[in-house]
Amino acid sequence: MGLPSIIRPRKRNSGSEKYASTGPSTPVSNDYRNNSTSKETIRAATKTRRIFALTATFAYIVSWIFLVLVMIGNTYPKAVLDSIYFFKLDLADIIPMSIPNASLINSIAQSIGLHDFYQVGLWNFCEGYIYQGITYCSPPQRLYWFNPVEIIMSELLAGATIALPTEILTILSVLRITSQIMFGFFLTGAVLTFILIFLSPLATRSKWWSLPLAITSFINMVLVGAASIVGTVISLVFKYAAEAQKDLNIHASVGVKMFVFMWLATGFSIYGFAVHSGMGCCCASRRDLRTGRRTVKGGQVQPREIDIGDNRH
């Protein structure tokens, strides 16, 4: 008689174990279980996330195009490229017209090798005359920096010299370091932007992809933004230093197209970072539906519902 009493609890326990084993550990929506509609359900539920991922991809494509224009600007004397530069040094009327025979002196300066203007890009510089346009561009050089003293002195005839503003001489060392930093940042930013074009769609798969994408996009944003800031500061400082010497009629101007391109590239990289940061906590992903953290009811994505009965032992 004691044997059945021992067996009966064991049967109840085995039944409860069977119930526990057959019950789902994580709730999955009925729409997802239905093989005939699972793809449509997932596609509809992740539409918002997919749209944001595609807009981030588009932003990186546009940013990369502008970065390419920044990098190839002023490399060759061709249409469009010759108008993309950081700053332009104008020496056409280096002797003020208030000086007697100023026109003659300026003509002599040109005859001994001085050009009317010098404009600077990321890889090299170009020079030329006002009525002829660009006549020469130096070969592209990595980690390039513009040294006006060395360039101008090397082009003058032997024994000829010209006084340059002292402000330009004092910033040459700073100009070299900052120019090389800017070059490295722009190049690295262009590479990362190109990679992010293909990685951005991965954010639709899982929110875990948003973490490395957000980190990568943040690094990219910092590099492109810092390079744009350095390029802007260099151009403005050089313009101020070139025009500070009133004894010489030197003019300098910043490249509007270059400024527009690099800051548009920065703006689109900021947008890409904002999108990937937001997708880390917002918008349902495919993994959310597959694991049951999000469910679909009535065509609407809802958070996982926790059944109190799941906690009974």
Side-chain angles (χ1 to χ4, degrees):
M1 297 296 293
L3 184 59
S5 63
I6 297 176
I7 296 176
R8 278 196 293 270
R10 292 184 179 179
K11 288 183 178 180
R12 286 196 296 269
N13 291 337
S14 62
S16 62
E17 291 176 358
K18 181 179 180 180
Y19 173 81
S21 62
T22 56
S25 57
T26 55
V28 181
S29 65
N30 293 329
D31 290 336
Y32 182 79
R33 286 181 174 181
N34 191 342
N35 294 330
S36 61
T37 61
S38 60
K39 291 184 179 179
E40 292 78 5
T41 301
I42 294 175
R43 185 173 182 83
T46 59
K47 180 179 179 180
T48 303
R49 190 175 188 85
R50 188 169 61 255
I51 290 175
F52 277 113
L54 290 177
T55 58
T57 301
F58 175 76
Y60 285 124
I61 292 175
V62 177
S63 179
W64 183 75
I65 292 174
F66 284 128
L67 286 174
V68 170
L69 290 174
V70 169
M71 297 187 69
I72 66 176
N74 201 67
T75 52
Y76 298 99
K78 296 182 179 180
V80 180
L81 296 183
D82 58 2
S83 61
I84 304 175
Y85 53 84
F86 287 104
F87 58 89
K88 184 176 183 179
L89 195 62
D90 186 358
L91 306 179
D93 299 318
I94 191 170
I95 303 299
M97 298 307 296
S98 58
I99 303 298
N101 300 322
S103 299
L104 177 60
I105 298 175
N106 286 322
S107 299
I108 295 175
Q110 294 179 2
S111 65
I112 63 177
L114 191 65
H115 289 75
D116 287 346
F117 64 86
Y118 299 83
Q119 60 187 43
V120 181
L122 189 65
W123 296 80
N124 62 340
F125 79 95
C126 294
E127 61 188 10
Y129 301 99
I130 294 178
Y131 298 105
Q132 298 180 23
I134 295 177
T135 58
Y136 170 77
C137 288
S138 63
Q141 179 183 353
R142 61 187 180 90
L143 297 178
Y144 174 78
W145 70 286
F146 179 68
N147 188 341
V149 176
E150 180 182 357
I151 293 172
I152 294 176
M153 293 305 176
S154 65
E155 293 184 343
L156 297 177
L157 294 178
T161 59
I162 185 172
L164 290 175
T166 56
E167 287 81 359
I168 292 181
L169 300 178
T170 56
I171 67 171
L172 285 182
S173 59
V174 178
L175 178 64
R176 176 179 60 84
I177 297 174
T178 54
S179 296
Q180 292 176 348
I181 291 175
M182 178 183 65
F183 182 94
F185 281 6
F186 268 130
L187 185 61
T188 307
V191 173
L192 282 179
T193 302
F194 183 77
I195 294 174
L196 284 168
I197 292 175
F198 302 97
L199 293 182
S200 290
L202 295 176
T204 60
R205 296 180 175 273
S206 171
K207 290 182 180 179
W208 286 106
W209 277 103
S210 297
L211 178 60
L213 286 174
I215 295 175
T216 306
S217 60
F218 174 76
I219 296 174
N220 176 72
M221 178 190 67
V222 171
L223 291 175
V224 177
S228 299
I229 293 174
V230 171
T232 302
V233 172
I234 288 177
S235 301
L236 295 178
V237 170
F238 200 96
K239 180 182 185 303
Y240 170 78
E243 296 179 345
Q245 182 62 269
K246 301 302 181 182
D247 295 337
L248 295 176
N249 194 27
I250 298 178
H251 300 285
S253 59
V254 297
V256 176
K257 289 185 178 180
M258 180 70 84
F259 275 43
V260 171
F261 291 161
M262 65 184 182
W263 281 109
L264 281 176
T266 302
F268 281 105
S269 66
I270 293 174
Y271 175 81
F273 166 69
V275 169
H276 285 302
S277 299
M279 286 195 297
C281 59
C282 303
C283 306
S285 65
R286 297 178 186 177
R287 188 172 183 273
D288 290 337
L289 299 175
R290 186 174 63 251
T291 58
R293 281 193 290 267
R294 295 291 182 94
T295 59
V296 180
K297 290 185 178 180
Q300 299 293 328
V301 180
Q302 299 179 0
R304 173 185 175 181
E305 295 182 356
I306 300 177
D307 189 358
I308 300 177
D310 293 342
N311 296 327
R312 64 173 177 264
H313 298 286

